[in-house]
Amino acid sequence: MIALESIEFRYPVGAFRLVVPELRVERGETLAVVGASGSGKSTLLSLIAGILVPGVGTATVDGEEVSALAEPARRDFRLHRLGLVFQEFELLDHLDVRDNVLLPYRMSPRLQASVEDEQRAERLVEEVGLGGKWRRNVRRLSQGERQRVALARGLLLDPPVLLCDEPTGNLDPSTTDEVLALLLERVKERGTTLVVVTHDHGLLPGFDRVLDVAEFQEVGA
């Protein structure tokens, strides 16, 4: 499902280098990625998503060699075949919860939201604990609530691969437990491959496997 081979990545400025000799994540597997700040956790996630392209090596996701695609094709791949929940949330502040969750349908002419799609989106919003805030502007939400909107959007299209960067980082402990349980339940039901970057080691028992990026060769921060 996810295969990284002989990856080497450097940013244009700075000494950071991430080397991944090999990484495989099987279909339906749940993987937690941990490591010190600046060690390359988010970089690894961006390489899998095709947001970043390695200088050397290949990244293959769901049968597609993402690292070989041009930027428009990588963007299309992310929209239609990946679920993404990143730390910045990528919410549009002029839209309400409903329109932010349904945003993938507005971004692609290939996707048309049906009544059933909208009902499923509203159920997801309720399940992540935002019932009653369906039409609230996201500027009026707390950081934790915004994070839950991003999670609902990531789950909406039932992607074969879901990538999350600190998806519970702004949540209180009880909400963290609820959201993680929902996330793991959803991906297990659908056979979704899940990769989660987290600093919270209390979450790790819920995952099939834990990867510390210290296992890879990296230089800098």
Side-chain angles (χ1 to χ4, degrees):
M1 173 55 67
I2 298 173
L4 273 57
E5 300 280 353
S6 304
I7 292 283
E8 181 172 338
F9 176 82
R10 296 175 183 267
Y11 288 104
V13 178
F16 178 89
R17 179 170 69 112
L18 179 66
V19 175
V20 184
E22 182 180 39
L23 173 63
R24 294 186 179 276
V25 186
E26 301 301 326
R27 186 177 301 277
E29 185 177 8
T30 60
L31 174 70
V33 179
V34 300
S37 177
S39 60
K41 302 184 300 296
S42 296
T43 299
L44 179 66
L45 215 62
S46 292
L47 287 165
I48 295 171
I51 296 168
L52 298 175
V53 177
V56 176
T58 60
T60 302
V61 181
D62 195 27
E64 187 80 55
E65 190 178 328
V66 180
S67 54
L69 300 176
E71 171 54 26
R74 296 200 310 275
R75 192 164 52 243
D76 186 75
F77 179 84
R78 287 193 294 274
L79 180 60
H80 293 99
R81 294 166 65 182
L82 296 183
L84 300 173
V85 183
F86 283 160
Q87 290 187 67
E88 296 81 9
F89 312 141
E90 305 296 337
L91 302 182
L92 299 183
D93 282 346
H94 64 283
L95 299 179
D96 59 17
V97 170
R98 171 193 178 275
D99 288 338
N100 267 286
V101 173
L102 290 168
L103 192 61
Y105 288 99
R106 298 179 60 175
M107 294 174 62
S108 172
R110 291 163 48 190
L111 297 173
Q112 299 295 324
S114 65
V115 173
E116 290 77 14
D117 293 327
E118 182 163 347
Q119 290 172 342
R120 185 171 71 253
E122 189 167 7
R123 284 196 300 272
L124 273 172
V125 168
E126 292 174 356
E127 288 172 3
V128 298
L130 294 178
K133 298 182 179 180
W134 177 238
R135 298 312 301 247
R136 182 168 297 185
N137 189 285
V138 296
R139 283 179 296 194
R140 297 173 56 202
L141 301 180
S142 69
Q143 284 292 94
E145 289 171 333
R146 289 167 66 90
Q147 194 158 30
R148 284 180 270 173
V149 174
L151 179 59
R153 186 175 62 195
L155 290 167
L156 179 62
L157 298 180
D158 288 333
V161 178
L162 182 60
L163 307 176
C164 302
D165 195 349
E166 301 286 3
T168 60
N170 290 296
L171 305 179
D172 60 71
S174 63
T175 307
T176 290
D177 292 341
E178 292 171 5
V179 168
L180 181 65
L182 170 66
L183 179 61
L184 293 175
E185 178 185 358
R186 286 273 174 174
V187 299
K188 289 296 185 183
E189 284 176 355
R190 291 159 174 76
T192 305
T193 303
L194 174 67
V195 181
V196 172
V197 166
T198 183
H199 70 277
D200 186 349
H201 286 212
L203 305 182
L204 303 185
F207 291 84
D208 296 329
R209 181 160 57 109
V210 177
L211 169 70
D212 190 331
V213 290
E215 296 177 23
F216 301 137
Q217 176 188 353
E218 71 272 346
V219 178

